[in-house]
Amino acid sequence: MKSYKTLVFVALLGIMAAGCQKPEELKPTDNTNKNVLTLTVNASIDDDTKALAWDENKLKAYWAEGEIVDVYLGETKIGYLTSKSSESGSTKLSGDIIVDGLSVDAENPSTLMLLYPGTDDPKDKRAVTYLNQNGGDPATDGSAPYDYALASISAYIGDNSIKTSGNASFANQQSIYQFYSNMPVSSFTITSANGKLVQNRTNNGGTWISNYGPITVTSTETPAAVNGKYPYYVALRNEFAPETDDGTDEYFFSFINENDGALYEARKVIKHAAFDENGGGVINGKLMKASISFSQKTIAQAAEGSISQQVDVL
């Protein structure tokens, strides 16, 4: 049996060791099997990435204080970061992340995926969905965050701190479409000729898997008319990639008129210039403008058109 003096000596050693612990060393979480370290990242976004405010008919990028970015190792959310206020496309993101499973080898670092917007629940994963949109102006309507952006960084644990390489350069995952309708519509459905409109995406082991289908937009109020046209804003991710140099896609719009019960339709050709030259589908991070004309199906279908204007998202 150990003596009383021995026990006191061991206890004192424990207290001294705790007092000498460096601030950056691993910090225990509520889960005793996991530890956290603070991750700080310089984040950069192009002018066409983060859609938050209008600026002369374009979308301006800036960061508000405390915006949330989720951090994933594979498909596991290991924490979240928050932003510093910035009027430009650059900011500093910082937060505590779980480092169990993070590489300790500088030559073989782990890849961390960053998703904007995130949630402040350490365990809750942000659902990436384009469903349930209301057609409102993204500059003034913050009811649903459809401006998803992704970035990845290489990171490893070194000297009880997280080492990273380079900035987190975010890329937008969709475009914003501004459809000018010839009539106010309370709800309409969009489909595409090639069936590659994304409804939602799931993270499978660090790889995003897209699920395709129609997008239904239900407006909460009638937008103010502009030159006799009614603007509706829709975030769309279209993954169709033309196999030819002149390949196009086509969007179809439809709704049932509540007054007469008739089906109304419109259609819009997406010209080849709107597609990524590298075969990545329709270019993301853009503001696409187009006019659509609904007409009753039993009478006549709307004439074909094309995206009338395309400008960078700022």
Side-chain angles (χ1 to χ4, degrees), residues 26 35 37 39 71-74 78 97-112 153-165:
L26 298 177
N35 293 292
L37 284 173
L39 171 64
V71 182
Y72 287 86
L73 178 60
I78 58 175
I97 66 168
I98 298 170
V99 295
D100 289 359
L102 197 65
S103 174
V104 295
D105 183 359
E107 300 299 322
N108 186 29
S110 298
T111 298
L112 299 181
I153 58 172
S154 296
Y156 66 95
I157 302 174
D159 298 327
N160 287 324
S161 63
I162 301 176
K163 307 294 185 182
T164 63
S165 59

Side-chain angles (χ1 to χ4, degrees), residues 101-273:
L102 197 65
S103 174
V104 295
D105 183 359
E107 300 299 322
N108 186 29
S110 298
T111 298
L112 299 181
M113 179 175 62
L114 308 182
L115 170 64
Y116 170 88
T119 72
D120 58 4
D121 185 332
K123 297 180 181 179
D124 182 35
K125 298 180 181 180
R126 167 68 71 187
V128 177
T129 179
Y130 297 100
L131 299 175
N132 304 317
Q133 298 189 56
N134 61 22
D137 186 338
T140 58
D141 183 4
S143 61
Y146 296 102
D147 56 333
Y148 304 106
L150 286 173
S152 63
I153 58 172
S154 296
Y156 66 95
I157 302 174
D159 298 327
N160 287 324
S161 63
I162 301 176
K163 307 294 185 182
T164 63
S165 59
N167 294 344
S169 181
F170 283 87
N172 202 300
Q173 299 300 295
Q174 63 287 306
S175 284
I176 302 295
Y177 288 74
Q178 186 183 50
F179 295 116
Y180 286 97
S181 171
N182 64 321
M183 57 192 304
V185 183
S186 60
S187 180
F188 60 93
T189 297
I190 307 173
T191 58
S192 66
N194 293 285
K196 291 294 185 178
L197 282 183
V198 176
Q199 288 186 327
N200 51 61
R201 308 186 79 199
T202 55
N203 181 359
N204 184 7
T207 300
W208 287 98
I209 306 299
S210 296
N211 301 300
Y212 306 114
I215 301 295
T216 296
V217 178
T218 302
S219 60
T220 56
E221 60 183 22
T222 301
V226 179
N227 297 324
K229 299 281 188 175
Y230 298 86
Y232 294 91
Y233 299 84
V234 188
L236 294 177
R237 179 180 175 87
N238 186 347
E239 295 184 353
F240 169 67
E243 296 181 356
T244 62
D245 292 339
D246 58 354
T248 63
D249 199 0
E250 191 168 11
Y251 291 164
F252 301 95
F253 306 79
S254 62
F255 74 95
I256 301 295
N257 191 303
E258 298 177 353
N259 296 323
D260 57 19
L263 173 64
Y264 283 74
E265 291 185 333
R267 56 199 301 179
K268 185 62 58 178
V269 172
I270 307 303
K271 59 187 180 181
H272 187 77

Side-chain angles (χ1 to χ4, degrees), residues 285-298:
K286 300 294 181 180
L287 174 65
M288 307 283 197
K289 292 186 175 184
S291 292
I292 56 176
S293 295
F294 283 102
S295 61
Q296 190 173 338
K297 183 179 180 181
T298 56

